[in-house]
């Protein structure tokens, strides 16, 4: 863990699923509350940012950045802002 940061690790099959295009998401059941998180394609530009709403953390990934990710040597993406640090 690192303060004020989010890091998602995707398997190769999840990267391929994301590039097809499709959403990639998971959830954790805490009993009375379910925490959901995921990555989804977007046309909002190339900025990497996170949303948190209704117990869901979403990392939108520009379709431009993600195009061909499953077939190239790109390891991941990170934002260039200081806070919060995002990496996937």
């Amino acid at each position: 863990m690192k303060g004020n940061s989010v890091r998602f690790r995707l398997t190769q099959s999840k990267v391929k699923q994301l590039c097809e295009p499709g959403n990639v998401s998971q959830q954790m059941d805490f009993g009375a509350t379910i925490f959901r998180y995921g990555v989804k394609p977007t046309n909002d530009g190339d900025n990497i940012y996170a949303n948190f709403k209704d117990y869901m953390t979403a990392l939108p990934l520009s379709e431009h950045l993600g195009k061909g990710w499953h077939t190239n040597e790109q390891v991941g993406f990170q934002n260039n802002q200081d806070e919060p640090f995002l990496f996937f």
Side-chain angles (χ1 to χ4, degrees):
M1 287 187 278
K2 186 175 181 181
N4 208 24
S5 66
V6 174
R7 180 178 179 169
F8 286 9
R9 295 186 69 162
L10 279 66
T11 62
Q12 288 180 340
S13 62
K14 293 294 185 187
V15 170
K16 185 176 180 183
Q17 179 182 340
L18 183 63
C19 293
E20 286 182 348
N23 294 339
V24 174
S25 63
Q26 293 289 320
Q27 66 182 36
M28 293 175 61
D29 187 348
F30 289 100
T33 304
I34 295 176
F35 172 66
R36 298 181 319 265
Y37 53 98
V39 181
K40 63 180 183 176
T42 183
N43 289 319
D44 288 346
D46 290 347
N47 293 331
I48 296 173
Y49 59 95
N51 293 322
F52 181 75
K53 183 179 179 183
D54 299 326
Y55 303 104
M56 169 75 178
T57 298
L59 294 176
L61 175 63
S62 161
E63 289 181 1
H64 171 258
L65 290 176
K67 186 176 181 179
W69 185 20
H70 65 296
T71 60
N72 64 31
E73 298 296 318
Q74 179 79 30
V75 173
F77 301 95
Q78 69 184 45
N79 66 340
N80 294 321
Q81 300 170 345
D82 292 333
E83 299 288 333
F85 178 73
L86 307 168
F87 180 80
F88 62 99

